[in-house]
Amino acid sequence: MDRVAAMLLLLGVIVITLLFMLALFSVAPIFCSCLAALLYMLFYFIANEASEIHHAQEFENRFWTLFAVLLTTAGVYVKDSPFCFGDRWPGLGLFVLITVGCAVHMIDRMMHRKEMSRQVAGLVRGASATQSLIKLSTMGVSVEDQLKRISLAMANIDQLLVPSTINNFLNTKFICSNEREIISVFEDAQPKMLNYLISHVKLALVFYKIKDHRHFRGQHRTQLIELLAVDRVAVLTIPSRVLLLRALQLMKITSNPRAEHWVRNIILSTHQDELSSLKTMTDSKGDYFCMNKLIYDDIRSETVRQDILIHFKNEAAVQQAHMDMGTRKGKARMLKGWRKILSDVDDTLTSSGGSYPAGIDKRYNKKVVYPGVIGLYRELDLGINRPDSEPPSNTGNLVFLSARPHLYKDMSEKHNFAKFQRLREREGVNGRGGLHTTPSLLAGDLTSGREFMMTNDFEPLARKKFDNFKRFVSIYPEYKHVFVCDNGQGDVRAGELMHDQFPQNVDGLFVHLVQDIQKSFGFDAERWRRKGLLDKTCFFTVYPDAALYAATQSNPPLIQIRGISRVCQDAVSDFDMILPTQWSSESQKRDRRHELNQSLWRCNKALEHYQLDTVPLIDNPRRWEDGEKVRTTYGIGVIKSFDPVWDLYEVELDLRPLDKQVTEYEAQELSKKEAVDSRVRSLASKADRNQTLQTVVEEDDESNYLSPATSFDASKKSSKQSLIWIDQAGMSPPAPIDEEHSFPPTPERTSGHEFIFDADDFDRKATESPVPTLDGTTVASTLEEANTANTGITPPSIATGDITSSKKSPLSRGKFFANIQGKDITKYTPPYLPKLPKDDKNHKFSFWATDSVKNYVDKSHVDKSKTKFSPGEKVSSPYGVGIVVEHRQGDRIVVVDMSSWNAKAYLQENTVKRVGAGFLGTILRQFSTSQASPKHKHKPSSTKGKNERQFPFVVGTPIYSPYGDGKVVGPLPLTKEKPSPVPSCSSPKVFTPGQVSKAANTIAISLTCWTLRDGSHPKLYCTADSAAKWISKSSAVSKTGHHREGSLFSVIGSIVSGTVESLKKIRVPREIEAPIKIEHKFERYYKDGAAVTTAYGDGTVRGFRESDGFYIVSLLMKSGKIFGSAYLREDSMSYRLATGCIEGYPVVTTFGSG
């Protein structure tokens, strides 16, 4: 669904909702007003998460309870409500009101309790902690007993049906004694036991249920958190501190004024590598309570926030100092990658399927994981120094930057985290099928999403992602960052902003191409080259190519060389894991398989260079078997072999003329029919009938393809598609000729060659020219030449054409082989000749027809054509104004020399109109053409002097060819002939076709109407016979053109006098049209030296051709050197923008602002 469809759907939903509200308002105005007010209150509550009503979970619970009560009141007690029954049954209405309020209150409490009770997977104690707990148990201190004490006290405090507020009011002493019991357990616990209790108890629920009572000695929540976050924080492990921070976030830090200081103390008491682990584990819990939310959303005090950020920078500087000095800690740090991988989600991790507004990539269907992307994430995280055998860990450095807006709490984030969890649970090669870590997520906001939806501007999305990245860098200053994105929306622009602001922190930018690179928002190759960003950027289509770049072209390398092999293996595994229902068609799967195989092949070349094991490519399923007859883009052929890797079929092609193929097919069908009829008539016994049926079945398989030298009877003797020599005397075929003796060894063939041949070549003898092969070489064109060249054996003559003919003639063509992809092969269909149109009136492209087609033209219809164009007449056409050169009335074609551009058009009569044609002009033209004086006919000028050399033996003879005007530059050589005794003085000597053909040589004509890039003119090689025809035709045109010099009688005189005599006396001289001078209608816009941007990159204007409006542009490389020239129109270029300028944004120049 594209943007237009999405906007129309949104508009339809809004209109329907508005109409529904108006209809409801007309029926129940009071109830509708109450409902609108409640909806506005709900919207305000959800959209303002920073307001005080969200500072504590108790406040939110009270809001939902109050909202449910007000909504129920409006539905039960408002008079025009469709559910109104409170005025008739007040008691029932009050009961419903209390029931709904209590139900909403209990549901919200249960949902919040469930969220706080969720344990974080992966944050478990190590082996040393387990051994210490066993030792404590032997000493008489049981950890399980302490857990039971905490669970019993929590059960007394947290009553399922009684709210905590009411329970604290009724049983204050009982609740306080249980709360002190829990605090005493944490106070008396040993360090190992304390960490065990924190990781196994529902700490967030404990913080939430223990309250700060009104009297001084009842500040139990403050006392418990102060104990853990301040007094005993030094003995807490990193996982315990992470759980402590999470419990404070779930409890809501804003609910207690000292909570921010507790967070500050926990973070500031953690240093160097432990601090990095603390931040990474906080982001790897699989929920939206990440470090970014803690620092920038939950903490409201700017002083506390700056203290924490400064602590991050100072500890990062200490870590870098250890690495620079080469200390023991620094060497241990160098084994890790210390790199954060930031990635987009839609069209980068998974395909959007072209669904708006998620993305535009339609190569894969929606929600399909791109092959190899997960492996690339893992290798970028591992780096180049980490050992391959390191066990997988739940914590990692993967962060997703999503443009999807954040909604109330984690409503939008839950969808993505559920997707990440499913990807974690995937199984693949060697346990590498899923994500190697639980990633974090930085979401967008409603403001940028709204601006994008309304204006289709990607800049707000890019700015929001950059803001998230800026926050992220301030939290992780000790890390380098790699951004993996796509070029479908604003990610490329966001990557540029990241590099501009933090060039030292960005290691690389990997851009997944889902559209043409020139369409990328914010991309300018010249600007990126000047910034140095282009050297850090990898544009790729398939993820193994990105791994190849990261290992071999990035400086320094980002992944290991062995990582290329692992990414390729994962890509193959990911491709195989795509379900059949996730493919739209077989062609889509075939194209993506071919695309991936190309990338794997390139990676295997690099692996072979480093002497590593290569990755097998993905095989294609076979559709056509050997010997099966098929139809290809080059014609009919027979399958010879198959390459499953590249989906290439070796096909033996039948390149004979179509009429011969049709004739042979009809003869085969007739022979089949006669053979079957004869066998049916000769059925005399059951055994004979069974033998005949078996023979018929084999004929269907073996007689599909017959070469010109193969008869129907011969096909029964051989299952191969080889040529069989036919004994014309006895009509019994001898042993078949071996193919390796019939033709020379076929060279290696590729699928990129084309077949270029002339149909007339099939009528010539095979000895005239060699047969071209697919690789540009030539082989002998006859079987006799081939056998003589290879074996010295001269084969007997074979039958060509009709298989029943007894005449013997050489074969005009050999075997042609081509490697063709499976997508270009279809099921075999019998050859047939095209049907000619019965009525030439409806043939719109009659000027393309051959001479055989033109013979079908109705002569009477041509005679009825009343429109006649004279040579030299000015006419208009759909392609512009021009001058008539010739009117072929038999074909109803008008040859027009275009005036506005250098071209000659062959147009139909009904598309050509005279300039200024009208009723009066038509009458005047009829009188003018009928009364033309015969004395103005052209007389050829006589030739003076002696008999000189003439066409085709002289250079410079003008030729009017169908391809344009030219002159002879390569004449025929002079032959010794006796001079004519009577030289011609009346007209120049012109060779007739019969005379010229005797020379049997070729002349060269330079087409002066065409100009090549280097300023030269192309050459046309033709026989002197053809050139003589063109000269004769041009002479006839020039003679016809002089008839326009006759005078014109005005029809106005006939209207005034009414007699023929007055017409003869009133003679109006006709205005003779001077040769039309072609004016240059193309004005120059870009001057020489102008810096422009084209579809092929940046360039500089070097020249301009006024004749056709083309600019000559020198194209520039990234280094500024010229690598080529392009001839472009004005609409294909644009001025190059200055560095830092964006089209549509205000700028300040020396001439003022603009």
Side-chain angles (χ1 to χ4, degrees):
M1 182 173 60
D2 56 0
R3 180 175 183 271
V4 177
M7 297 304 294
L8 290 177
L9 180 61
L10 179 61
L11 180 61
V13 172
I14 294 175
V15 170
I16 293 175
T17 304
L18 183 60
L19 292 177
F20 175 77
M21 293 297 295
L22 292 176
L24 184 61
F25 191 85
S26 62
V27 176
I30 302 177
F31 176 73
C32 187
S33 301
C34 296
L35 187 62
L38 291 174
L39 291 178
Y40 176 76
M41 183 175 64
L42 178 62
F43 172 78
Y44 183 83
F45 172 79
I46 293 177
N48 293 272
E49 289 191 78
S51 60
E52 294 182 358
I53 197 174
H54 293 277
H55 284 183
Q57 178 62 32
E58 293 85 351
F59 300 161
E60 293 183 355
N61 183 266
R62 293 164 188 170
F63 169 81
W64 289 114
T65 305
L66 179 62
F67 179 81
V69 171
L70 293 177
L71 183 61
T72 307
T73 303
V76 174
Y77 289 100
V78 174
K79 294 183 178 180
D80 55 359
S81 171
F83 313 103
C84 178
F85 59 88
D87 53 348
R88 291 172 291 176
W89 300 289
L92 181 60
L94 183 61
F95 174 76
V96 171
L97 198 64
I98 297 175
T99 302
V100 171
C102 293
V104 172
H105 179 81
M106 295 298 299
I107 292 174
D108 182 71
R109 287 181 66 241
M110 292 178 63
M111 292 177 61
H112 189 61
R113 182 187 290 106
K114 181 180 179 181
E115 178 66 23
M116 289 187 168
S117 302
R118 188 176 66 88
Q119 296 292 94
V120 179
L123 298 180
V124 296
R125 64 189 186 279
S128 60
T130 304
Q131 294 175 2
S132 300
L133 292 176
I134 295 175
K135 185 177 180 180
L136 290 175
S137 299
T138 58
M139 295 172 60
V141 181
S142 176
V143 180
E144 286 73 13
D145 293 340
Q146 305 301 323
L147 284 176
K148 290 180 180 179
R149 289 176 58 188
I150 295 176
S151 300
L152 181 60
M154 284 294 300
N156 295 330
I157 296 173
D158 185 18
Q159 299 292 332
L160 183 62
L161 299 178
V162 180
S164 300
T165 305
I166 300 176
N167 194 18
N168 290 334
F169 180 76
L170 298 178
N171 303 314
T172 304
K173 293 183 179 181
F174 178 75
I175 297 299
C176 290
S177 62
N178 284 277
E179 291 176 351
R180 283 192 293 269
E181 178 73 14
I182 296 175
I183 295 174
S184 64
V185 172
F186 286 103
E187 284 179 345
D188 300 336
Q190 297 291 334
K192 298 294 183 181
M193 182 182 296
L194 178 63
N195 288 286
Y196 180 87
L197 294 176
I198 291 177
S199 61
H200 287 78
V201 77
K202 299 176 182 178
L203 191 61
L205 187 62
V206 172
F207 286 172
Y208 176 68
K209 290 301 180 181
I210 295 179
K211 305 295 183 181
D212 283 338
H213 303 282
R214 293 183 181 275
H215 55 275
F216 176 75
R217 296 183 179 181
Q219 303 293 319
H220 293 158
R221 177 186 290 180
T222 302
Q223 184 179 354
L224 175 60
I225 300 177
E226 190 83 16
L227 171 68
L228 298 177
V230 178
D231 298 339
R232 307 201 65 181
V233 67
V235 300
L236 297 182
T237 60
I238 300 301
S240 298
R241 299 184 190 190
V242 172
L243 293 175
L244 185 58
L245 290 175
R246 178 177 178 271
L248 291 175
Q249 285 184 281
L250 288 173
M251 185 195 67
K252 286 188 178 294
I253 294 178
T254 53
S255 63
N256 194 301
R258 295 182 55 83
E260 293 183 358
H261 298 278
W262 294 331
V263 172
R264 175 183 176 275
N265 188 75
I266 295 173
I267 295 177
L268 266 61
S269 61
T270 312
H271 303 280
Q272 298 183 26
D273 291 353
E274 292 184 350
L275 179 61
S276 300
S277 299
L278 173 70
K279 294 182 291 184
T280 302
M281 288 184 181
T282 304
D283 286 341
S284 301
K285 299 191 304 293
D287 52 26
Y288 88 120
F289 295 102
C290 59
M291 187 63 67
N292 179 74
K293 181 179 183 299
L294 175 64
I295 302 299
Y296 287 97
D297 294 335
D298 295 340
I299 295 178
R300 306 299 174 89
S301 173
E302 187 65 25
T303 303
V304 175
R305 182 183 300 113
Q306 291 301 322
D307 290 343
I308 295 175
L309 295 179
I310 292 174
H311 179 68
F312 289 160
K313 291 181 181 181
N314 294 336
E315 295 301 320
V318 174
Q319 290 174 297
Q320 185 62 38
H322 277 288
M323 296 183 65
D324 295 339
M325 292 186 298
T327 62
R328 185 169 54 185
K329 289 185 178 181
K331 293 179 181 180
R333 292 189 79 252
M334 293 179 64
L335 296 177
K336 299 181 180 180
W338 293 101
R339 182 185 302 117
K340 291 290 182 179
I341 298 92
L342 294 91
S343 173
D344 186 30
V345 180
D346 295 314
D347 283 351
T348 304
L349 172 64
T350 57
S351 174
S352 65
S355 178
Y356 182 85
I360 62 173
D361 190 13
K362 297 181 180 180
R363 295 178 304 152
Y364 290 90
N365 285 357
K366 193 174 182 179
K367 298 181 181 180
V368 173
V369 179
Y370 288 106
V373 59
I374 297 178
L376 180 64
Y377 291 156
R378 183 187 60 255
E379 296 302 325
L380 289 174
D381 191 4
L382 291 176
I384 60 175
N385 297 321
R386 185 174 297 187
D388 300 339
S389 60
E390 182 172 343
S393 174
N394 187 62
T395 58
N397 301 293
L398 181 60
V399 182
F400 286 101
L401 293 176
S402 177
R404 297 189 178 186
H406 164 76
L407 297 179
Y408 175 65
K409 289 189 176 181
D410 58 345
M411 293 177 61
S412 62
E413 287 85 348
K414 280 183 178 179
H415 171 74
N416 284 323
F417 280 114
K419 179 196 299 185
F420 301 153
Q421 185 60 31
R422 290 193 298 269
L423 292 178
R424 283 273 296 164
E425 297 171 356
R426 289 206 324 170
E427 296 181 359
V429 180
N430 299 326
R432 298 196 309 264
L435 288 173
H436 69 288
T437 181
T438 301
S440 180
L441 178 67
L442 302 178
D445 56 7
L446 291 174
T447 304
S448 60
R450 182 181 66 251
E451 293 181 5
F452 163 64
M453 292 287 291
M454 295 297 103
T455 62
N456 199 30
D457 185 12
F458 297 121
E459 187 68 20
L461 299 181
R463 291 286 177 181
K464 179 57 183 176
K465 288 192 175 184
F466 171 67
D467 292 340
N468 287 336
F469 175 77
K470 188 162 55 174
R471 289 183 172 186
F472 194 76
V473 171
S474 65
I475 298 174
Y476 293 95
E478 71 274 22
Y479 281 85
K480 301 293 184 179
H481 305 275
V482 173
F483 187 33
V484 185
C485 60
D486 63 273
N487 69 330
Q489 294 181 346
D491 294 345
V492 175
R493 173 61 177 161
E496 182 181 9
L497 294 174
M498 295 174 188
H499 178 267
D500 293 345
Q501 191 77 13
F502 306 97
Q504 302 299 328
N505 295 85
V506 178
D507 267 354
L509 181 63
F510 292 83
V511 181
H512 183 215
L513 295 177
V514 296
Q515 63 176 349
D516 185 70
I517 189 174
Q518 299 298 333
K519 298 180 180 179
S520 304
F521 177 78
F523 175 72
D524 187 339
E526 181 63 23
R527 185 176 70 247
W528 283 35
R529 182 185 64 81
R530 291 193 300 266
K531 294 179 178 180
L533 179 57
L534 206 57
D535 297 333
K536 295 182 178 180
T537 305
C538 170
F539 296 95
F540 65 95
T541 306
V542 189
Y543 278 90
D545 287 339
L548 181 63
Y549 173 88
T552 60
Q553 300 182 32
S554 178
N555 188 20
L558 300 178
I559 68 174
Q560 301 175 0
I561 297 298
R562 292 185 179 87
I564 302 176
S565 176
R566 290 191 290 266
V567 173
C568 292
Q569 294 174 8
D570 293 344
V572 175
S573 177
D574 293 341
F575 186 86
D576 294 336
M577 292 174 67
I578 301 177
L579 300 177
T581 56
Q582 293 179 315
W583 295 107
S584 300
S585 61
E586 284 296 328
S587 61
Q588 182 195 26
K589 184 177 182 180
R590 179 184 60 244
D591 294 342
R592 301 288 76 78
R593 183 193 301 114
H594 179 72
E595 184 180 64
L596 182 57
N597 278 339
Q598 291 282 353
S599 179
L600 295 176
W601 179 83
R602 290 188 289 269
C603 294
N604 284 337
K605 288 295 182 182
L607 294 175
E608 291 175 357
H609 176 73
Y610 291 99
Q611 299 179 356
L612 298 176
D613 295 336
T614 59
V615 179
L617 275 63
I618 306 175
D619 290 341
N620 292 267
R622 183 165 188 171
R623 297 181 58 192
W624 315 102
E625 301 297 332
D626 290 345
E628 187 174 358
K629 198 170 185 181
V630 294
R631 180 174 290 275
T632 70
T633 54
Y634 306 106
I636 297 175
V638 175
I639 301 295
K640 290 299 182 182
S641 62
F642 175 65
D643 184 359
V645 174
W646 303 113
D647 193 26
L648 289 177
Y649 291 86
E650 185 180 17
V651 183
E652 179 185 346
L653 297 174
D654 186 3
L655 300 183
R656 295 173 299 157
L658 186 59
D659 55 347
K660 292 186 179 181
Q661 297 185 36
V662 174
T663 303
E664 180 180 327
Y665 173 76
E666 293 176 351
Q668 293 174 6
E669 293 297 321
L670 181 60
S671 300
K672 285 183 181 181
K673 185 176 180 181
E674 292 177 353
V676 172
D677 293 343
S678 62
R679 292 188 184 95
V680 171
R681 288 193 299 266
S682 63
L683 291 178
S685 64
K686 183 176 181 180
D688 294 337
R689 184 161 53 250
N690 294 336
Q691 184 178 1
T692 304
L693 291 175
Q694 183 179 1
T695 305
V696 172
V697 172
E698 292 183 355
E699 290 170 1
D700 292 338
D701 294 334
E702 304 298 339
S703 61
N704 282 339
Y705 176 71
L706 296 177
S707 63
T710 309
S711 65
F712 176 76
D713 294 332
S715 65
K716 304 176 185 178
K717 302 297 181 180
S718 175
S719 61
K720 298 182 178 180
Q721 302 296 332
S722 57
L723 297 178
I724 306 299
W725 308 114
I726 301 178
D727 187 2
Q728 299 293 338
M731 295 303 293
S732 59
I737 296 178
D738 192 359
E739 290 184 1
E740 64 182 5
H741 294 159
S742 300
F743 292 95
T746 305
E748 185 179 357
R749 294 173 286 269
T750 59
S751 60
H753 295 78
E754 299 180 355
F755 299 93
I756 305 175
F757 61 93
D758 191 355
D760 297 336
D761 293 341
F762 289 99
D763 298 330
R764 303 173 186 170
K765 292 184 178 180
T767 57
E768 291 182 1
S769 61
V771 178
T773 59
L774 290 177
D775 60 347
T777 60
T778 58
V779 297
S781 59
T782 62
L783 291 174
E784 291 86 354
E785 295 177 357
N787 287 326
T788 303
N790 289 277
T791 61
I793 302 174
T794 303
S797 302
I798 59 174
T800 59
D802 191 358
I803 61 175
T804 60
S805 174
S806 61
K807 297 180 181 182
K808 299 181 181 180
S809 61
L811 183 65
S812 60
R813 285 283 175 179
K815 293 181 180 180
F816 286 85
F817 294 87
N819 289 342
I820 306 175
Q821 281 196 338
K823 64 179 181 180
D824 299 324
I825 300 177
T826 57
K827 188 178 180 181
Y828 168 75
T829 56
Y832 61 91
L833 292 173
K835 296 182 180 180
L836 299 177
K838 297 181 180 180
D839 188 4
D840 195 56
K841 298 179 182 179
N842 299 326
H843 191 59
K844 296 182 179 180
F845 304 99
S846 59
F847 59 93
W848 283 345
T850 59
D851 294 337
S852 59
V853 179
K854 293 178 181 178
N855 294 332
Y856 288 88
V857 179
D858 190 358
K859 299 299 182 181
S860 60
H861 175 70
V862 176
D863 295 337
K864 294 179 182 180
S865 177
K866 299 180 180 180
T867 305
K868 183 177 181 180
F869 298 93
S870 301
E873 190 173 1
K874 189 175 182 180
V875 295
S876 63
S877 69
Y879 309 100
V881 181
I883 304 299
V884 175
V885 177
E886 181 185 358
H887 184 189
R888 303 174 183 175
Q889 286 187 293
D891 299 333
R892 292 187 293 164
I893 297 298
V894 181
V895 184
V896 180
D897 191 1
M898 308 305 298
S899 301
S900 57
W901 50 304
N902 297 331
K904 193 181 300 307
Y906 295 78
L907 307 174
Q908 298 185 31
E909 290 178 350
N910 56 355
T911 62
V912 180
K913 296 181 181 180
R914 291 182 176 87
V915 176
F919 177 74
L920 183 59
T922 304
I923 298 177
L924 294 176
R925 191 177 299 106
Q926 293 294 334
F927 275 96
S928 175
T929 54
S930 62
Q931 297 294 336
S933 175
K935 67 182 179 180
H936 294 283
K937 292 183 178 180
H938 172 71
K939 295 181 180 180
S941 60
S942 60
T943 305
K944 298 179 182 181
K946 298 180 181 180
N947 185 20
E948 299 177 354
R949 287 185 300 167
Q950 304 197 9
F951 175 80
F953 305 106
V954 65
V955 178
T957 304
I959 301 294
Y960 182 78
S961 71
Y963 309 99
D965 298 340
K967 60 182 179 180
V968 176
V969 294
L972 293 179
L974 289 175
T975 57
K976 295 181 179 181
E977 295 182 358
K978 295 181 180 181
S980 177
V982 182
S984 176
C985 300
S986 58
S987 60
K989 181 180 179 181
V990 178
F991 272 69
T992 63
Q995 294 172 336
V996 177
S997 62
K998 294 178 181 179
N1001 262 324
T1002 304
I1003 66 173
I1005 301 173
S1006 178
L1007 300 177
T1008 57
C1009 60
W1010 294 79
T1011 303
L1012 300 179
R1013 176 181 175 183
D1014 56 357
S1016 62
H1017 304 290
K1019 292 181 180 180
L1020 172 67
Y1021 294 90
C1022 65
T1023 60
D1025 191 4
S1026 300
K1029 292 180 182 179
W1030 297 337
I1031 292 179
S1032 302
K1033 187 178 297 184
S1034 61
S1035 300
V1037 172
S1038 62
K1039 292 178 182 179
T1040 310
H1042 288 281
H1043 289 292
R1044 292 185 54 83
E1045 297 178 1
S1047 60
L1048 176 65
F1049 292 103
S1050 176
V1051 71
I1052 301 178
S1054 63
I1055 299 176
V1056 175
S1057 61
T1059 60
V1060 179
E1061 296 297 333
S1062 59
L1063 284 174
K1064 294 180 180 180
K1065 293 178 182 179
I1066 304 175
R1067 182 183 297 273
V1068 178
R1070 181 183 177 187
E1071 180 182 358
I1072 300 177
E1073 296 180 357
I1076 298 178
K1077 183 180 180 180
I1078 300 176
E1079 298 180 357
H1080 301 299
K1081 297 185 177 181
F1082 296 95
E1083 297 182 359
R1084 183 166 186 169
Y1085 179 72
Y1086 297 101
K1087 303 299 181 182
D1088 289 346
V1092 295
T1093 299
T1094 70
Y1096 309 100
D1098 296 337
T1100 305
V1101 175
R1102 296 300 181 191
F1104 176 71
R1105 295 197 312 220
E1106 296 182 352
S1107 58
D1108 52 8
F1110 276 87
Y1111 290 86
I1112 304 174
V1113 182
S1114 297
L1115 300 178
L1116 304 178
M1117 299 176 63
K1118 298 177 182 178
S1119 60
K1121 297 182 180 180
I1122 299 176
F1123 70 91
S1125 299
Y1127 295 80
L1128 305 172
R1129 290 269 193 179
E1130 179 182 330
D1131 54 359
S1132 301
M1133 302 183 297
S1134 62
Y1135 273 119
R1136 197 187 312 169
L1137 297 179
T1139 305
C1141 295
I1142 303 175
E1143 188 174 356
Y1145 282 73
V1147 294
V1148 178
T1149 67
T1150 56
F1151 305 100
S1153 60

